[in-house]
Amino acid sequence: MSIELRNIRKTFGDFVALDNINLRVATGELLALLGLSGSGKTTLLRIIAGLETPDAGEVLFHGADATTRSVRDRNVGFVFQHYALFKHMTVFDNVAFGLRVKPRVERPVEAEIARRVHKLLTLVQLDFLADRYPSQLSGGQRQRVALARTLAVEPKVLLLDEPFGALDAKVRQELRRWLKRLHEEIKITSVFVTHDQEEALELANRVVVMNNGRIEQIGTPEEVYHRPATAFVHNFLGNVNLFHGRIENGKVYLGDTAVDVDRAHASASGNGKAVLALRPHLIEIITRPNGKPSFPATVISVNPAGPQVKVELVAEWGDAVQVDVGHERFDELAIAPGARVFLRPKEEKLFVYQI
Amino acid sequence: MAARRPDVPRATADPPAVRRALIAIALTFLALFLFIPLIAVFAEALGKGVGQYFAAITSSESLAAIRLTLMTAAIAVPLNVSFGLTAAWAIARFEFPGKQLLITVIDLPFSVSPVIAGMLFVLLLGIRTPIGGWLDDHNVRIIFAEPGIVLATIFVTFPFAARELIPIMQSVGSEEEQAAIVLGASGWQSFLRVTIPNVKWGLLYGMVLCNSRAMGEFGAVSVVSGHIRGHTNTMPLYVEILYNDYQFAAAFAVSSLLTMLAVATLVAKYFLERRVAPQVRLAAENQDVMEAAA
């Protein structure tokens, strides 16, 4: 089932949680809502589920207006961040809940319920825990029970609120891969909320980057990572150095260093203030200027622990800069804190955003 | 835990003499003011033999008092539990003007002397008041009759269930109920299958406390009862009447029943508290985790 949101707006008191949100989720898609806490992503998910009502705008399910349809009638599955498993019921009873509360005419007989519950528990690889209580399970197991419980009522849409937020890194990795396989198997239209950019990029078909109640960019993981539409997206997806500079007559000025805008990956035109975004591995450290645009900086600290050497510097106009250098190149440079060096942006990757 | 040498006092520990003295004082106090009187009740009650004891309990006036007490509790407890659930639900789930006032006013019966509570009903519904007069014209007696006793008991006992349920409902939160609704449950199904099981121990605890107070209430009931033997005497009132008539053994016999109720309540309280406390703590921890993650 496809989902369409039109001009959604939601406020809590004076706080604008969502402002003019337009979004289409295609049938069978796995879509990520990515943003910081307070960006409105969870509110948007709850509006799709019907757990919140928008102040303005429409929610369409499969082309039909569902804005005023009640939660019960939306046929959505919602997985809560903290699972919201029924503490007083066994794993089996949790998964069976949605089937047992159906109106008498739709309710399967108990034997059929048992068959379906065991099938789902097998799908999430937890059939051996059917008689346990939620408090006896690990976080990852609880999450999978919550998912099985949601799938039991055969929803047309699956909504997941920070599905792996409360788990430790190792389990998160595992569940992420598992969820991706599950989605490929059952092809249910799914939307998940996350603040973890790695999770969004790895799992989703498309990523919606949100900030302050607005959508900054919608695109495939590759698009949002390699062609970020705004400085926020650039900053949010991976480490980045942001410099405040200015655009004058087709050139970007960083301090006194000029870079040709037409050679940069520019989304800016005309004159005025601009933000330049440079990923740490896309800056080269050189010991003396080589004719190409570069700017002087001083090394503050060096951390060689890791696949790349992380060098912290301060530019001559005072901005902190982080640069990642390969170990071989670092050995060649032989730099230590206090060293005066020059930083050369690899121009073809220089992003300029006008502000 | 590693074994600690008993002769090496910790920096924060009190000297042994002080420790022993404090424990001794506490235990002596307890014995003097609780255990000795408790034993005295049963000793006096059985002082004239078991036959007398049962005769006192099974006299027609005693049985009438017991019946009225049970009936009063049977009306007051369910009513106050329903009110407690409603109030706790409203306070834990909704924001509304006057919420803080409601929380405060629920405690009013605790802060008002029971005698004043009784007076209140007499002044409101007594035969010389407009409402009481009108009711009397229609042959309805409230004051100096059973309805007055029930009303006064409800007033005095209504905070118990609510006060138990409000913190539990607040700490459990509504996420499980939301999950139930998304899974297709109706509001009523969610209430019966999710909400009630989550608060059941607190609910039971509130019922036990409410019941023991409903059966034991003296002041408010005394004012509205009129002390008509065999009609408007509850057990505590009947004890006083027997005592004033110098029927000490009978007075203590009926007292012993109330005392047994009190002991049973304490035992129930002990076991229920062990169920309720971890539940609230667990829910509070979950709340912390949630807030930390948000």
Side-chain angles (χ1 to χ4, degrees):
Chain A
M1 187 158 70
S2 65
I3 308 167
E4 191 175 347
L5 303 173
R6 287 186 190 156
N7 306 317
I8 296 287
R9 184 181 165 82
K10 176 75 182 175
T11 54
F12 297 105
D14 293 335
F15 176 70
V16 181
L18 292 171
D19 194 14
N20 196 27
I21 299 288
N22 287 284
L23 180 63
R24 272 194 65 97
V25 189
T27 306
E29 195 171 16
L30 180 54
L31 185 95
L33 298 177
L34 175 65
L36 297 165
S37 58
S39 62
K41 55 193 193 308
T42 296
T43 307
L44 190 61
L45 194 75
R46 291 174 64 86
I47 283 176
I48 298 174
L51 291 167
E52 302 276 358
T53 324
D55 299 340
E58 293 170 320
V59 180
L60 283 81
F61 278 5
H62 215 81
D65 188 2
T67 317
T68 55
R69 210 183 285 172
S70 82
V71 188
R72 290 180 70 196
D73 302 330
R74 287 198 188 198
N75 211 351
V76 298
F78 197 101
V79 177
F80 292 81
Q81 185 179 0
H82 297 281
Y83 326 129
L85 292 177
F86 306 126
K87 289 187 274 296
H88 60 284
M89 294 184 200
T90 61
V91 166
F92 182 95
D93 290 336
N94 262 283
V95 179
F97 184 90
L99 298 171
R100 284 179 177 156
V101 297
K102 279 183 186 294
R104 199 175 296 273
V105 285
E106 297 169 33
R107 194 188 311 154
V109 296
E110 200 58 30
E112 169 66 9
I113 290 178
R115 195 188 62 78
R116 279 163 72 171
V117 170
H118 283 300
K119 197 176 148 206
L120 278 163
L121 285 176
T122 309
L123 179 73
V124 299
Q125 299 154 10
L126 287 177
D127 203 26
F128 65 107
L129 292 177
D131 297 329
R132 299 281 186 86
Y133 284 88
S135 58
Q136 298 169 300
L137 306 183
S138 72
Q141 289 170 337
R142 287 181 207 179
Q143 182 60 277
R144 283 185 282 159
V145 173
L147 203 58
R149 180 178 72 176
T150 302
L151 294 174
V153 290
E154 295 176 346
K156 295 278 184 293
V157 173
L158 183 60
L159 307 171
L160 307 110
D161 185 8
E162 295 271 4
F164 314 121
L167 303 170
D168 54 63
K170 197 90 183 166
V171 181
R172 201 147 67 197
Q173 278 282 352
E174 233 174 81
L175 269 185
R176 211 187 276 169
R177 261 178 247 127
W178 176 83
L179 184 66
K180 190 161 183 125
R181 273 205 312 278
L182 184 77
H183 181 260
E184 278 159 12
E185 233 169 86
I186 59 178
K187 283 285 172 220
I188 180 175
T189 310
S190 308
V191 181
F192 73 98
V193 156
T194 181
H195 63 265
D196 180 346
Q197 38 104 1
E198 206 181 303
E199 194 169 290
L201 296 179
E202 189 179 316
L203 205 50
N205 306 133
R206 280 198 305 154
V207 178
V208 177
V209 185
M210 296 186 65
N211 182 32
N212 287 331
R214 291 171 173 277
I215 292 178
E216 294 270 336
Q217 187 174 6
I218 306 176
T220 63
E222 199 190 342
E223 277 166 2
V224 293
Y225 188 79
H226 289 294
R227 290 190 293 287
T230 65
F232 174 83
V233 176
H234 206 139
N235 189 17
F236 195 58
L237 294 174
N239 269 336
V240 75
N241 294 294
L242 293 178
F243 303 118
H244 291 269
R246 59 193 195 282
I247 301 178
E248 272 169 33
N249 305 322
K251 281 182 183 297
V252 185
Y253 286 87
L254 266 181
D256 295 329
T257 309
V259 185
D260 290 344
V261 169
D262 60 359
R263 297 183 60 195
H265 187 108
S267 62
S269 58
N271 294 343
K273 284 184 176 176
V275 172
L276 281 82
L278 273 172
R279 298 219 186 269
H281 64 281
L282 297 176
I283 302 177
E284 201 178 350
I285 298 181
I286 47 180
T287 42
R288 62 176 64 92
N290 59 1
K292 290 177 180 165
S294 63
F295 50 89
T298 308
V299 178
I300 298 293
S301 71
V302 168
N303 179 6
Q308 291 209 300
V309 182
K310 290 187 185 304
V311 185
E312 300 277 346
L313 306 99
V314 59
E316 62 172 349
W317 62 88
D319 274 347
V321 189
Q322 196 200 322
V323 179
D324 292 349
V325 187
H327 282 279
E328 278 179 28
R329 175 69 184 144
F330 178 74
D331 292 342
E332 274 172 38
L333 284 166
I335 49 172
R340 298 268 300 159
V341 296
F342 292 85
L343 299 178
R344 196 178 73 78
K346 299 176 179 172
E347 289 133 310
E348 64 278 13
K349 294 292 182 190
L350 185 65
F351 282 71
V352 181
Y353 303 98
Q354 199 152 24
I355 50 174
Chain B
M1 198 169 42
R4 190 185 295 121
R5 293 216 316 268
D7 54 335
V8 181
R10 278 176 300 158
T12 54
D14 295 310
V18 174
R19 221 181 309 163
R20 263 179 241 128
L22 286 175
I23 293 170
I25 290 171
L27 289 181
T28 314
F29 202 83
L30 205 66
L32 218 56
F33 290 95
L34 283 176
F35 290 132
I36 293 176
L38 201 65
I39 292 162
V41 168
F42 287 97
E44 289 283 343
L46 295 163
K48 292 193 173 167
V50 181
Q52 285 276 349
Y53 177 81
F54 281 107
I57 289 175
T58 53
S59 77
S60 68
E61 285 177 9
S62 283
L63 289 178
I66 292 170
R67 204 176 303 125
L68 180 58
T69 296
L70 290 178
M71 186 195 80
T72 306
I75 296 172
V77 172
L79 268 177
N80 281 334
V81 167
S82 320
F83 164 78
L85 269 173
T86 315
W89 186 282
I91 287 167
R93 297 285 187 271
F94 315 131
E95 290 302 323
F96 54 91
K99 180 167 156 173
Q100 208 51 47
L101 189 72
L102 178 63
I103 296 173
T104 312
V105 169
I106 283 175
D107 282 349
L108 185 73
F110 280 160
S111 52
V112 169
S113 160
V115 175
I116 293 167
M119 293 280 291
L120 210 125
F121 283 104
V122 173
L123 292 175
L124 191 68
L125 301 170
I127 200 157
R128 287 179 219 291
T129 66
I131 304 175
W134 183 84
L135 287 171
D136 192 55
D137 290 344
H138 294 77
N139 280 326
V140 179
R141 291 291 298 269
I142 291 185
I143 301 306
F144 305 142
E146 287 92 339
I149 291 174
V150 173
L151 277 179
T153 306
I154 290 171
F155 179 87
V156 173
T157 58
F158 91 62
F160 287 99
R163 280 178 60 115
E164 276 311 308
L165 288 171
I166 290 167
I168 295 178
M169 282 215 177
Q170 277 176 333
S171 62
V172 167
S174 61
E175 224 181 31
E176 285 184 40
E177 284 147 20
Q178 288 178 20
I181 300 289
V182 181
L183 287 168
S186 64
W188 185 241
Q189 282 172 319
S190 155
F191 180 74
L192 287 183
R193 289 167 180 256
V194 177
T195 313
I196 290 287
N198 268 335
V199 303
K200 68 179 171 203
W201 297 114
L203 194 66
L204 268 173
Y205 186 24
M207 280 167 78
V208 165
L209 292 181
C210 185
N211 182 59
S212 79
R213 181 68 192 267
M215 291 189 173
E217 175 54 27
F218 179 83
V221 169
S222 174
V223 175
V224 296
S225 124
H227 303 275
I228 305 163
R229 282 193 183 204
H231 286 284
T232 62
N233 265 344
T234 60
M235 287 164 75
L237 299 183
Y238 187 54
V239 170
E240 194 206 16
I241 287 177
L242 289 172
Y243 184 81
N244 288 343
D245 286 352
Y246 302 105
Q247 300 184 36
F248 297 128
F252 278 111
V254 178
S255 298
S256 72
L257 292 180
L258 285 170
T259 309
M260 281 189 261
L261 170 74
V263 173
T265 304
L266 279 181
V267 172
K269 182 174 178 286
Y270 173 77
F271 284 106
L272 289 174
E273 257 177 355
R274 291 183 1 155
R275 293 280 195 164
V276 173
Q279 193 185 356
V280 171
R281 200 177 55 233
L282 201 74
E285 276 166 12
N286 285 344
Q287 198 79 23
D288 290 346
V289 172
M290 250 179 251
E291 274 157 18

